[in-house]
Amino acid sequence: SEARRQKEVIVTAVLQPGEYVDIDFSRTQLIKRSIRGSVLKQSKFQGCDMSGCEIEDCVFAECDLGSVNLNGATLRNVSFNGCDLQQGAFSAVRLSAVRISQCNVSRSVFAEAVASDCRLESSELTHVSMSGAKWSGSEFEGVEMSESIWTDAASINCSFSASVMARVSGEGARFEN
């Protein structure tokens, strides 16, 4: 159909470096794509399947990524500013130098995620599953993480300044400095 063809043209364009505003990627399949050097503002990725993607040197500002699937994706030097990431699927994701600022990431799953040198600030991560996740050299500043699950997770050389971790389940979790 014409609408599908137009959406594919937009997807192809965004896979090229540039700035994009107010684009709707809801329920789009972007599986195993490579996205580099893009700035995406006020765009919608609700239910978008980005599993296995490589995303590098990108900024997502005020985007709706509710129920996004980033399972098995690799994110390097990526910023999420003022985004809705609720109910996101981040299992086995690889995060390096990722910044999450003023975002709602509640009810998301980071099972078996591996993250290094990340910064999470002034964000909500309540009811999040971090089971088996490995975080190293990361900063959690002013992050609300109540009622989250950290079973068998590891946090090595991470800081949790002004963050709240009330009613957290963490059997087998390791927090080392």
Side-chain angles (χ1 to χ4, degrees):
S1 75
E2 180 63 21
R4 176 173 269 175
R5 189 187 68 71
Q6 287 178 340
K7 196 164 207 170
E8 186 58 36
V9 168
I10 291 170
V11 167
T12 302
V14 170
L15 296 178
Q16 306 304 313
E19 185 170 317
Y20 306 92
V21 180
D22 194 26
I23 297 178
D24 189 353
F25 293 97
S26 297
R27 290 170 282 294
T28 300
Q29 300 265 332
L30 295 174
I31 300 168
K32 295 186 178 178
R33 302 277 187 120
S34 178
I35 304 171
R36 288 188 169 79
S38 291
V39 176
L40 297 130
K41 296 180 179 177
Q42 300 166 342
S43 294
K44 294 180 181 152
F45 293 83
Q46 292 176 330
C48 183
D49 189 348
M50 300 172 80
S51 57
C53 278
E54 287 193 23
I55 305 171
E56 189 169 1
D57 300 323
C58 290
V59 174
F60 294 82
E62 299 173 15
C63 291
D64 183 348
L65 294 106
S67 300
V68 69
N69 178 354
L70 280 162
N71 289 336
T74 300
L75 284 71
R76 283 184 226 75
N77 195 31
V78 175
S79 293
F80 295 95
N81 304 313
C83 293
D84 181 352
L85 294 151
Q86 293 182 78
Q87 298 181 356
F90 301 93
S91 293
V93 71
R94 303 290 182 253
L95 306 173
S96 177
V98 170
R99 182 173 180 218
I100 297 173
S101 179
Q102 299 180 346
C103 294
N104 188 342
V105 194
S106 296
R107 300 190 187 284
S108 293
V109 176
F110 287 85
E112 305 298 326
V114 176
S116 63
D117 303 316
C118 295
R119 180 168 172 81
L120 293 82
E121 57 189 14
S122 305
S123 293
E124 185 171 331
L125 278 82
T126 56
H127 303 280
V128 168
S129 174
M130 296 281 186
S131 295
K134 311 285 186 263
W135 290 83
S136 64
S138 297
E139 299 175 48
F140 295 77
E141 185 178 320
V143 177
E144 170 65 54
M145 293 181 281
S146 296
E147 300 188 43
S148 293
I149 299 168
W150 285 72
T151 305
D152 297 322
S155 166
I156 300 165
N157 295 323
C158 293
S159 66
F160 294 86
S161 63
S163 293
V164 177
M165 292 183 82
R167 298 174 305 284
V168 170
S169 169
E171 185 177 333
R174 293 180 311 144
F175 292 86
E176 301 173 9
N177 276 333

